[in-house]
Amino acid sequence: MDPGIIGQAAGLFAVTNIDDILILSLFFAQGAGHRGSARRIVLGQYLGFAAILAVAAAAAFGATFLPEAAIPYLGLLPLALGLKAAWQAWKQRSEENDEEKTPSGGGPGMLAVAAVTFANGGDNIGVYVPVFATAGVGGMTVYAIVFLVLVAVWCFAGRFLATRPVIAQALSRWGHILLPLVLIAIGLVILIEGGAFGL
């Protein structure tokens, strides 16, 4: 493996996924105390990122599954999930004193994390396609391996941030408000920047 390609892949991943650390921190904070939530978050992140890689690789080979005009509409996924999370936070506000209402399998679901990861990766696809197209099959394989290793690093960093006492306390207090706001904002940015619905 060429160290130059590995360094380029690591830099490209970091630049295109820096916002995922905040989202992962919010997911890990939301899942704190719920059995199996960390595993669901990591699996969801891998599932969503694998879908991003699959679409980018297919597009690089010329077999585009998503027309370019459809990519901005991916913003509807985090927007819907943000609205759902806001509704649940508002609903739980009246139930927060009832300890029996906290299920052991709570926290974010794997498919919800995957959907947010994929929807937030629309810009990643746009960046990865030309890079993959010029890298060839061997280079694309190196990029994919480095990216998948760095997904684990990102998950670790998100969980690390969510468990730092000061950050954990802030996320515990404000995470139920921040997560819906971040998801709604991501959805709106994707829709607006992509020109969806003529915005």
Side-chain angles (χ1 to χ4, degrees):
M1 279 199 206
D2 181 5
I5 294 179
I6 294 172
Q8 289 171 6
L12 183 62
F13 181 89
V15 167
T16 55
N17 291 286
I18 196 70
D19 53 340
D20 279 353
I21 291 180
L22 172 62
I23 297 167
L24 282 167
S25 298
L26 291 168
F27 278 139
F28 281 118
Q30 186 185 35
H34 296 286
R35 201 173 334 130
S37 68
R39 181 175 49 85
R40 288 192 301 274
I41 293 166
V42 171
L43 289 174
Q45 183 73 7
Y46 266 102
L47 183 62
F49 199 81
I52 290 169
L53 284 179
V55 170
F61 284 122
T64 307
F65 292 120
L66 288 175
E68 182 124 357
I71 290 177
Y73 294 96
L74 291 174
L76 293 171
L77 289 170
L79 181 63
L81 291 168
L83 292 171
K84 180 183 174 192
W87 170 254
Q88 288 175 334
W90 181 80
K91 207 167 91 173
Q92 287 177 350
R93 195 176 63 169
S94 62
E95 301 171 353
E96 62 188 12
N97 293 331
D98 189 355
E99 306 212 17
E100 292 180 10
K101 296 277 184 182
T102 305
S104 61
M110 180 180 74
L111 292 179
V113 174
V116 170
T117 302
F118 184 74
N120 194 35
D123 58 335
N124 296 30
I125 293 169
V127 173
Y128 297 165
V129 169
V131 172
F132 286 0
T134 57
V137 176
M140 194 185 311
T141 304
V142 173
Y143 273 96
I145 291 168
V146 172
F147 286 178
L148 292 173
V149 168
L150 289 176
V151 167
V153 173
W154 248 234
C155 288
F156 175 80
R159 187 162 190 197
F160 177 81
L161 286 174
T163 56
R164 296 307 89 204
V166 173
I167 296 171
Q169 187 177 19
L171 291 176
S172 168
R173 183 172 181 165
W174 300 106
H176 66 287
I177 296 170
L178 282 176
L179 181 65
L181 288 177
V182 168
L183 293 177
I184 290 168
I186 287 171
L188 290 174
V189 166
I190 293 169
L191 289 169
I192 293 167
E193 286 187 355
F197 304 113
L199 297 173

